[in-house]
Amino acid sequence: MNLFIMRTIEEEIQQSKFKSKEQKVHVNIVYTGQYISQKLESVIKKFDINLPQFNIMSIVRGQNDTPINIKDIQRRMVHQMANTSRVVTALVSKGLAERTPSPNDKREVTISLTKKGHFTLEQLDDLIPRFLVSQFSHLSEEEIEQLNNILNKVREY
């Protein structure tokens, strides 16, 4: 039997009052996102990568073996950051990605995954969906859809 004990955001961060309901929802979204990210990080760290590295590898793989430049990677990242080049350097040093000078612009490099990078993502392809299902298993299909719609609506403004 899976016992689920729901704790409020107030209990989680030990803060009894917020200045407004908007502040409360903001804190709740940020806290919950960080909470899920930390749990996902514990799943992928077994493969010697972190979330930004996983994010970049997923973006590169999404190119269907077409190399991508760092600026385009930055635009598509879930976890936006200024040090994308350093994350790519770490992936290259781990043998998961490779840099290639762009044939069109010698100042630019493109990134592609190595066989080891593809293999790592293939292993994660089994684990990540199971993690996500376990993370949201206490929500109904309708609640998941509602949550997605609400979050989409928040970004519309």
Side-chain angles (χ1 to χ4, degrees):
M1 185 164 102
N2 186 9
L3 292 177
F4 175 71
I5 300 170
M6 184 176 75
R7 289 175 42 126
T8 66
I9 189 64
E10 291 89 349
E11 292 167 328
E12 288 289 337
I13 67 170
Q14 298 176 5
Q15 178 176 326
S16 61
K17 292 187 178 188
F18 291 92
K19 292 180 181 177
S20 67
K21 61 185 183 292
E22 292 83 6
Q23 181 194 36
K24 179 179 175 179
V25 77
H26 168 78
V27 170
N28 205 344
I29 289 169
V30 171
Y31 184 88
T32 304
Q34 194 64 21
Y35 170 82
I36 294 169
S37 291
Q38 287 172 350
K39 289 182 84 173
L40 179 57
E41 185 100 38
S42 71
V43 170
I44 66 174
K45 77 177 178 181
K46 297 168 188 151
F47 295 87
D48 193 32
I49 61 172
N50 58 33
L51 278 177
Q53 291 168 347
F54 172 70
N55 189 201
I56 288 173
M57 290 174 69
S58 297
I59 291 167
V60 173
R61 180 174 63 175
Q63 291 295 114
N64 298 317
D65 293 322
T66 302
I68 182 173
N69 67 47
I70 290 180
K71 285 182 185 177
D72 288 336
I73 290 172
Q74 279 179 316
R75 278 193 284 272
R76 295 175 54 189
M77 287 187 69
V78 172
H79 299 92
Q80 301 276 322
M81 57 179 41
N83 63 351
T84 304
S85 292
R86 276 187 259 154
V87 177
V88 168
T89 298
L91 290 170
V92 169
S93 69
K94 292 177 182 187
L96 298 169
E98 59 188 8
R99 284 185 163 111
T100 307
S102 171
N104 303 330
D105 183 351
K106 297 298 179 199
R107 296 168 294 171
E108 183 179 89
V109 295
T110 58
I111 311 304
S112 56
L113 292 180
T114 62
K115 287 182 181 180
K116 181 180 177 184
H118 279 288
F119 180 72
T120 300
L121 285 179
E122 286 168 9
Q123 290 179 296
L124 287 166
D125 284 343
D126 293 333
L127 293 175
I128 301 292
R130 280 189 269 151
F131 164 78
L132 294 173
V133 166
S134 72
Q135 200 55 53
F136 297 101
S137 63
H138 58 286
L139 298 178
S140 70
E141 292 283 328
E142 185 178 320
E143 288 172 320
I144 290 172
E145 189 65 34
Q146 287 174 342
L147 180 57
N148 273 312
N149 289 336
I150 290 168
L151 293 171
N152 289 341
K153 194 171 184 178
V154 167
R155 285 192 318 279
E156 283 178 5
Y157 182 70

